[in-house]
Amino acid sequence: MTASTTPILSMKGVTRVYRQGKVDVHALRGVDLDIHKGDFAAIWGPSGSGKSTVLNQMGALDQPTAGTVLLEGTDLGSLSRKALSAMRRDRIGFVFQSYNLIPVLTAYENAESIMALQGVPVAERRDRVMGLLEDVGLEGLEDRRPHELSGGQQQRVAIARALASNPAVILADEPTANLDSVTSEKLLDMMARLNNERGATFVFSTHDPRVMKYARRVIGLVDGRVDSDVQKEQGVEHKHQSRV
């Protein structure tokens, strides 16, 4: 899938400062970053570089101290709490390293849950969920609850759930962290296929070199700043080195 030229998500001059006791911690220092439709991008860096903070800003789970985050042209900082919640529900898909599935719900019900909140008709929900579970390799396992699934299968349910609302972007925070190498490779193969076939836009926060190998765009963070941005196309790497 080739990324479009118009960004669907933009961070402009984003700074995030946390207060720890009497000390200010500068998690992000003026981050400028655009994500385009069709991106399959990995954000990486050492611990404390700001990877998870960037994803939290993109996903409207946290607000910047300064700067703006735009999703499909909408300034997330301008929205009411209710509108922001609806934006997260409808336009942002989340995949977490701990899966975050609801234990008492089946794979089908977990994948369906976002659409139920959206009020999508039952028949449409069923068609979409069954298609997604087939796409992620869980056909026939729709009635199993999380404890009856392997870690890799649980993460596949989480990805189906993230895709169910047809979001603008899927944010995946260390999605392979709790998986073995073989399961990680299979999961990354699957997400790359969904990116190519469905045009799903993925942004990963990761320490995992396997994710960076699969990613077609690798964004490096150092001390809360974008240090590098490498776009891989047809085996050629195009590098943008930011000034810090």
Side-chain angles (χ1 to χ4, degrees):
M1 179 75 186
T2 302
S4 67
T5 55
T6 302
I8 56 173
L9 195 154
S10 293
M11 298 177 67
K12 299 182 182 296
V14 172
T15 295
R16 185 65 173 100
V17 181
Y18 297 99
R19 189 74 173 174
Q20 289 187 350
K22 297 181 179 180
V23 179
D24 287 337
V25 177
H26 293 262
L28 298 179
R29 302 170 183 264
V31 170
D32 294 310
L33 185 60
D34 289 337
I35 300 298
H36 303 270
K37 181 172 176 56
D39 266 345
F40 200 69
I43 299 173
W44 75 279
S47 295
S49 61
K51 300 185 299 298
S52 293
T53 306
V54 165
L55 246 64
N56 287 341
Q57 297 294 326
M58 289 181 173
L61 298 174
D62 188 22
Q63 292 192 342
T65 305
T68 58
V69 182
L70 304 173
L71 179 60
E72 298 179 312
T74 298
D75 180 356
L76 297 180
S78 70
L79 299 179
S80 67
R81 183 176 297 181
K82 182 177 180 181
L84 198 59
S85 178
M87 180 72 82
R88 284 194 296 263
R89 179 195 67 200
D90 297 339
R91 303 306 299 147
I92 305 169
F94 295 95
V95 178
F96 303 97
Q97 60 176 296
S98 56
Y99 322 133
N100 282 20
L101 301 179
I102 301 172
V104 298
L105 299 184
T106 64
Y108 178 94
E109 291 164 341
N110 268 286
E112 179 195 40
S113 58
I114 299 294
M115 289 186 290
L117 293 172
Q118 292 174 318
V120 176
V122 173
E124 182 181 341
R125 295 198 318 244
R126 179 166 183 81
D127 287 345
R128 200 185 301 177
V129 169
M130 294 306 288
L132 282 168
L133 291 177
E134 182 177 354
D135 279 350
V136 301
L138 293 178
E139 188 176 15
L141 301 180
E142 57 270 11
D143 293 329
R144 294 193 183 183
R145 288 180 170 77
H147 74 275
E148 300 173 307
L149 299 169
S150 69
Q153 289 169 336
Q154 290 184 62
Q155 196 62 296
R156 288 169 184 259
V157 175
I159 292 165
R161 179 181 59 188
L163 286 163
S165 63
N166 294 319
V169 61
I170 295 166
L171 305 177
D173 189 11
E174 299 280 5
T176 60
N178 293 328
L179 305 176
D180 62 63
S181 58
V182 172
T183 303
S184 295
E185 292 276 354
K186 290 180 178 178
L187 192 73
L188 289 163
D189 276 335
M190 182 203 68
M191 287 189 284
R193 177 174 55 78
L194 292 169
N195 171 258
N196 282 315
E197 295 179 0
R198 285 181 169 264
T201 303
F202 285 90
V203 181
F204 304 90
S205 163
T206 189
H207 287 97
D208 190 342
R210 289 169 299 214
V211 176
M212 288 182 272
K213 181 185 75 174
Y214 273 81
R216 287 196 305 279
R217 182 181 175 192
V218 179
I219 300 157
L221 291 186
V222 175
D223 296 332
R225 295 185 175 95
V226 176
D227 181 63
S228 59
D229 192 343
V230 177
Q231 184 78 45
K232 302 184 232 177
E233 294 178 7
Q234 298 178 346
V236 178
E237 293 187 351
H238 302 275
K239 296 187 178 181
H240 168 71
Q241 196 77 18
S242 66
R243 287 173 288 182
V244 296

